[in-house]
Amino acid sequence: MRILVINCGSSSIKYKLYGVELGDCLAEGIIEGIGAPGARHRHRVGDWETAVEASVTDYRSGVSCIVEALSEWGPVPPVGDSREIVGVGHRVVHGGERFSASVIIDPGVLETIQSLDSLAPLHNPANRAGIEAAGDLLAGAPGVAVFDTAFFSTLPERAFRYAVPAKWWRRHGVRRYGFHGISHRFLVERASRVLGRPRPNLVTFHLGAGASACAVRDGRAVDTSMGMTPLEGLVMGTRSGDIDPAVVFHLMEEGLSAPEIRRGLEREGGLLGLSGISSDFRSLSQATRAGEPAAALAVEVFCHRIRRYLGAFLALAAPCDGVVFSGGIGENSPDVRRRVLEGLDSLGLALDPSRNEGEGERRISTDQSPIAAWVIPTDEEALIARDTVRLVVGGQV
């Protein structure tokens, strides 16, 4: 029996196939460029990998490609028969106030997810499309929705409320929800094991094209950097992160339309907007080393914002047991971690430069540091698979 995990992004689908026992991943892959010419499908089984062009016009054809790949490219057993896959786990970005935990998908759940499209317009429609396609192509295999926002259902009202008219919250859902919750939950669970603390106090960072921070007390989220949408908080690849709301009014008075402002904040801001070069942190790091001042500024602003949130969240997590870095940038950029942690010995964080330059999961603070700093690679798909097994098969995994 197999568990398939599908993670539909705004133009891609990532997937992993697990055995119900949730040992090693049996197969995985990604389809990129959905709806665009030259879409690519990379599929890996063990050490064997293939990459081909794929005619993928929408999420249905993308999921169809995945089912075909799992059936034809061994050494996993064929899964063309839907009975081979006993459950399909789906990442869903926004669960609103309705969902505080993972659920088996039924028509009512799908309808509620659709009602939240306006809060996550780049993601929820894509998530729904993947759910619907898998439901049709793998009929009989229950779907499970695992929500990015669910981990933040423990936020106290003082953390999730905005200081706006109360009717905006009650009638229009204007409040902070938080995102990347699947990743932050994974990091908390893993950190509790490596630190030997069942309910740790932490500051966790998921740093990539999307970036967020989370303050954790007794193993539960108490604050986070993202808000009603994923636009708030840290500087990201193309998202601005925190800005003065009056900027929007000023730009409207200057003649910019609401769609133009939204595009600037969501798709043309962040690292791309600061540098004018790229939204890819690796490219900006190379340009910084080459002496490009705009790239250097983008990196400085990115790290400054992380450091600012670290200071604030250390106060909320006090006494803090650990700080965790994850995500593509958090796991792979020693320079970012150094810029964020350097000089914080007086706050109880003492970076070990040699450990910081290593690879894989590891402690990067000194043994004497009162607060442990760690790099922990995130694995959202593994957590989604665990929830799917728990809900579909039963028992604790």
Side-chain angles (χ1 to χ4, degrees):
M1 293 189 294
R2 304 287 183 256
I3 294 292
L4 177 62
V5 173
I6 294 178
N7 183 345
C8 290
S10 57
S11 62
S12 66
I13 307 176
K14 292 191 293 184
Y15 62 93
K16 287 187 179 181
L17 184 74
Y18 296 88
V20 167
E21 297 79 12
L22 299 183
D24 293 336
C25 174
L26 302 176
E28 62 183 306
I30 184 171
I31 298 175
E32 299 177 288
I34 293 174
R40 301 287 293 177
H41 183 186
R42 288 189 288 116
H43 180 82
R44 185 167 69 84
V45 179
D47 295 329
W48 177 82
E49 183 172 335
T50 185
V52 297
E53 286 196 10
S55 177
V56 181
T57 57
D58 55 21
Y59 290 92
R60 179 175 295 275
S61 57
V63 174
S64 179
C65 279
I66 292 168
V67 172
E68 289 179 14
L70 294 173
S71 299
E72 296 174 8
W73 297 337
V76 296
V79 293
D81 185 336
S82 63
R83 291 172 297 179
E84 187 70 23
I85 293 178
V86 298
V88 184
H90 297 269
R91 177 198 180 209
V92 179
V93 166
H94 216 306
E97 293 186 307
R98 165 77 181 275
F99 300 108
S100 59
S102 303
V103 296
I104 292 179
I105 299 167
D106 60 25
V109 168
L110 199 58
E111 183 178 350
T112 302
I113 293 171
Q114 183 174 9
S115 73
L116 299 167
D117 281 2
S118 62
L119 297 179
L122 299 180
H123 296 92
N124 266 36
N127 302 154
R128 280 193 300 103
I131 290 170
E132 292 169 348
D136 291 342
L137 295 168
L138 296 167
V144 171
V146 182
F147 298 93
D148 255 335
T149 49
F151 183 63
F152 302 109
S153 63
T154 59
L155 295 186
E157 191 168 353
R158 62 179 179 272
F160 75 69
R161 284 287 298 273
Y162 289 116
V164 298
K167 62 184 178 182
W168 291 6
W169 169 42
R170 297 191 183 99
R171 297 180 188 175
H172 308 292
V174 176
R175 53 156 287 180
R176 304 180 70 247
Y177 294 98
F179 300 89
H180 292 151
I182 299 171
S183 178
H184 287 291
R185 179 181 152 201
F186 177 89
L187 298 177
V188 172
E189 292 178 2
R190 180 60 188 160
S192 72
R193 290 193 287 271
V194 300
L195 293 172
R197 295 182 179 273
R199 295 181 296 278
N201 298 339
L202 302 168
V203 180
T204 55
F205 289 102
H206 178 103
L207 305 177
S212 62
C214 180
V216 177
R217 284 191 64 84
D218 296 324
R220 296 156 62 92
V222 295
D223 208 343
T224 186
S225 57
M226 285 181 166
M228 177 173 152
T229 76
L231 184 58
E232 186 181 353
L234 302 176
V235 171
M236 299 171 238
T238 63
R239 298 182 195 131
S240 67
D242 293 339
I243 66 162
D244 180 346
V247 169
V248 175
F249 312 143
H250 170 71
L251 293 175
M252 293 180 74
E253 291 166 357
E254 291 287 311
L256 273 68
S257 66
E260 287 176 311
I261 297 170
R262 184 168 195 161
R263 184 171 63 250
L265 295 176
E266 292 183 341
R267 297 181 179 272
E268 299 172 352
L271 294 172
L272 176 61
L274 283 164
S275 69
I277 298 172
S278 175
S279 63
D280 188 288
F281 195 84
R282 293 164 296 186
S283 299
L284 295 179
S285 296
Q286 293 173 356
T288 298
R289 290 192 292 270
E292 172 55 55
L297 175 64
V299 172
E300 287 178 5
V301 173
F302 179 78
C303 294
H304 171 79
R305 190 72 61 84
I306 298 168
R307 191 173 168 97
R308 190 171 78 184
Y309 268 94
L310 173 60
F313 282 7
L314 281 173
L316 295 179
C320 186
D321 300 310
V323 174
V324 178
F325 291 89
S326 195
I329 299 172
E331 295 169 26
N332 298 306
S333 178
D335 181 55
V336 166
R337 297 190 298 265
R338 178 187 60 78
R339 289 172 184 252
V340 172
L341 296 178
E342 201 169 45
L344 298 184
D345 301 56
S346 62
L347 296 181
L349 274 165
L351 180 67
D352 183 317
S354 61
R355 289 176 176 175
N356 186 44
E357 294 292 333
E359 296 182 355
E361 180 180 282
R362 65 202 182 281
R363 178 170 176 150
I364 60 172
S365 56
T366 66
D367 290 335
Q368 295 73 36
S369 179
I371 300 174
W374 278 77
V375 174
I376 298 180
T378 192
D379 194 340
E380 294 168 292
E381 287 78 17
L383 192 148
I384 294 170
R386 289 208 306 269
D387 276 10
T388 302
V389 169
R390 178 174 54 82
L391 289 170
V392 172
V393 180
Q396 297 297 319
V397 180

